[in-house]
Each structure stands twice: as C-alpha cells, then as structure tokens.
Amino acid sequence: MTKLSVERTPLIIAAEINMINQQTKKALLTGAVEIGKRLKEAKALVPHGEWGKWLEESVNYSQRTADKLMQLFDEYGHKLPALSGDDSSPNSPPEANLGYTKALILLGIPEEEREQFVLDNDVGSMTRKELQEAVQEKKQALQEKDEANKERDQAIEEKNDLQKELDEKDSKITELITQNTELESQVSDYKQNYENGQRNVTPQQKEPEKTPEETASARKITDVQFTIHRDNMLSAYNELLKTLAALAPTDPKLKEEYRETAHGIVETMAKRLKVYPPEIQTNLKIRTHTTTLLSAQKPSN
C-alpha cells in the first residue's frame, strides 16, 4: 500500500512556521509564569537582604527581571491551566494566544479591562509598537474616566454638603420664626392685659406700679427680641461676607461695588447707633429772664 504524498508549497511551509512560532510564544509565556511562581516561593524562603545576591548567584536574574516574572505569575497565574491547554477550546482565555512580550505590555491595563481589550483590538495580529500605542491610549482613556468620576463624586459630595447646610439654616430660620411667633403672642397677651387693667382705673386713681413678676416678664420679652434681631443681623452679615468672597475671584469689579455699598450701610448704621434713640432737638428759641428785663427797660418811642 503506497503512502499518499502531500505536495509541499510555500503557503504550507509558512503556515507551519507560524504555528511553530505561536506554540513557541505560548510555551515561553507559560514557562515565564511558572518561573514567576517559583521565584515568589523562593523569595519567601530567602533571608531578608539576601534576595538580590541569591538571584545573581543561583539563577543569574536581575531583580528587575525577577519582578517582571513574578508580576506575570500574579496577573496570569490563575489562568495557567487554560494558557497551557488547547487554543481552540471555548474556555480558552484571549491571553492564550499571546506571547511573553505582549503579555508584559498588557500588564499596563487593569486586569478587569484586559480581556475585553484583547478581544476588541485583535492583539494577536498587532506589532509590538502598535500594541504599546494602543495600551497607552487605553491607559489615558481610563485615567480620564477615573478623573471624571472623581470630579462627579466631588460635585455630588459638595452638593450634599450644601444641601445639608441649607437644611440646617432652614431649621434655624424655622426655629427663629417659631420663637418670634411665640414672642409676638406673649407681647399681644401682655398688651391686652395691660389695656384691660387700664380700663378699670379711674382718672383719680394712680396707675398701679408694675409687680416684680411683670417687670421680669417684660425684661425677658425684650431680651428675646434683642437676641433674635441680633442673631438675624449677624447671620445676614456673614452671608454678605461669603457673597463678597465668592465674587472676588470671578468678578472683582462687582465685588468692589457691593463692598462699597455694604460699607456705606454699615457706617450709617454705626453712626446712628452711637447714641440711640437720638436726643430730642427743637428749633424754638427760649428768651432768658435777663433778656426780658432789658427789653422792658428800653424807652418807648
């Protein structure tokens, strides 16, 4: 029985060479991962400070090369059975067709993004330079995405802080309004009681003096009124300062205009409060006793 001979062609030879190259690259990656595994094992056993010396004397590796091999094991070690298996298996990961060099380059991409990147970019057919450029672009895109997410999270946090501050101010305003309402009610009751008492007093009767309890109550009402108005004034002043501070970097001209206006208002208020209520003044001229006498002594015409 004669054996069938297959004609050798350049196309068949090229296919065989490419297959051998692919198998060699795959074996190199698998071997590198296995070496990285054993290097990590050895590093845990070598005494502290002796690692570099052990690498040089025992395996003739630099620490940089050893670090790369151990990193390959960290990133691809859990896929090692699949990497050394059949490429055509449906469970075979995309990295199964990669060589040592491309596997190293792909370490620049986070593991959770790496597999999809290999599928989207046909890494197997890329040159080393093309892969390096594609990885750099991906890293830049991921960095921009991360920065955008950080800015978004910061904006959300600032919004939440602002909302919290507004809620606290609303609560404070509600509390002041409640206090003011209660105060107005007390003043109204006090005024009504006073008017009712006045109706029962005859013209000949002397107005009764206020009891210590009434005096203390009136003082308490006045204190509450003053506290509310003082706090409102301080709160408004602080908000005005915040507005001016926010305007300073964005619109200095408008900030200065507002500042001068506010300064004028404060100066006017300060002058008015220097003596308040103001002393009563009159335009009437009072003739003194001496002037009257001199006028009476003048001879009549």
Side-chain angles (χ1 to χ4, degrees):
M1 186 174 180
T2 58
K3 294 182 180 180
L4 295 176
S5 61
V6 179
E7 183 182 359
R8 304 282 291 170
T9 65
L11 184 62
I12 292 177
I13 295 172
E16 291 176 351
I17 292 173
N18 290 330
M19 181 181 68
I20 294 172
N21 277 333
Q22 185 63 34
Q23 290 174 345
T24 302
K25 291 178 180 177
K26 181 179 177 181
L28 181 59
L29 174 58
T30 304
V33 173
E34 288 285 8
I35 291 173
K37 177 182 178 180
R38 285 157 179 78
L39 284 172
K40 287 182 71 73
E41 183 182 3
K43 189 174 183 180
L45 299 174
V46 173
H48 181 71
E50 298 290 327
W51 178 238
K53 181 180 178 182
W54 183 88
L55 286 173
E56 183 178 354
E57 294 179 351
S58 302
V59 292
N60 196 27
Y61 282 161
S62 67
Q63 291 198 39
R64 183 169 180 269
T65 299
D67 288 342
K68 285 184 178 181
L69 291 168
M70 289 189 291
Q71 189 179 6
L72 281 173
F73 170 71
D74 290 336
E75 297 291 334
Y76 299 106
H78 58 288
K79 298 180 180 181
L80 186 59
L83 289 175
S84 59
D86 183 8
D87 294 351
S88 61
S89 172
N91 296 324
S92 179
E95 295 91 339
N97 294 320
L98 298 179
Y100 170 79
T101 302
K102 291 184 177 180
L104 275 179
I105 296 173
L106 285 172
L107 292 179
I109 297 179
E111 182 179 359
E112 62 273 12
E113 301 280 347
R114 191 179 303 141
E115 183 172 329
Q116 190 60 45
F117 177 84
V118 174
L119 294 173
D120 292 342
N121 292 275
D122 189 18
V123 173
S125 63
M126 282 184 171
T127 64
R128 177 178 177 176
K129 182 178 180 181
E130 290 172 341
L131 180 58
Q132 287 175 330
E133 292 175 351
V135 167
Q136 187 61 35
E137 290 178 2
K138 182 65 176 180
K139 287 172 64 176
Q140 182 67 26
L142 290 174
Q143 183 179 357
E144 292 175 356
K145 181 181 178 181
D146 185 56
E147 291 176 354
N149 289 337
K150 287 181 180 179
E151 290 178 358
R152 180 200 62 194
D153 293 341
Q154 184 179 0
I156 292 175
E157 185 178 355
E158 291 176 353
K159 180 181 178 182
N160 292 337
D161 291 343
L162 179 59
Q163 185 62 48
K164 182 180 179 181
E165 184 179 351
L166 291 174
D167 291 341
E168 291 175 353
K169 288 184 178 180
D170 287 343
S171 177
K172 182 64 176 178
I173 291 172
T174 301
E175 181 182 349
L176 291 174
I177 291 174
T178 301
Q179 291 179 358
N180 191 53
T181 302
E182 293 175 355
L183 180 61
E184 289 178 350
S185 177
Q186 292 178 16
V187 172
S188 177
D189 292 343
Y190 179 78
K191 182 178 179 181
Q192 185 66 39
N193 292 336
Y194 177 79
E195 291 177 352
N196 292 339
Q198 286 296 98
R199 294 192 188 97
N200 298 327
V201 178
T202 60
Q204 293 78 16
Q205 289 178 319
K206 183 179 180 181
E207 182 179 352
E209 295 183 357
K210 294 180 181 179
T211 64
E213 291 79 7
E214 290 175 332
T215 302
S217 178
R219 172 60 187 271
K220 181 179 178 181
I221 292 172
T222 303
D223 287 345
V224 173
Q225 282 181 321
F226 176 80
T227 300
I228 291 174
H229 296 320
R230 180 202 63 196
D231 290 347
N232 287 340
M233 182 173 66
L234 290 175
S235 177
Y237 178 70
N238 287 331
E239 292 301 320
L240 174 63
L241 294 181
K242 290 180 182 178
T243 301
L244 293 176
L247 274 175
T250 58
D251 195 339
K253 184 177 181 181
L254 183 60
K255 183 273 300 181
E256 187 62 20
E257 180 182 339
Y258 285 170
R259 186 199 64 77
E260 290 181 356
T261 301
H263 186 265
I265 294 173
V266 172
E267 280 192 332
T268 301
M269 292 169 63
K271 288 179 181 178
R272 192 170 186 184
L273 274 175
K274 220 169 188 182
V275 179
Y276 199 86
E279 295 180 358
I280 299 176
Q281 296 180 356
T282 177
N283 292 327
L284 296 177
K285 294 182 179 180
I286 302 175
R287 296 168 63 187
T288 63
H289 180 66
T290 304
T291 304
T292 304
L293 291 175
L294 289 175
S295 300
Q297 293 175 1
K298 287 183 180 180
S300 58
N301 292 330

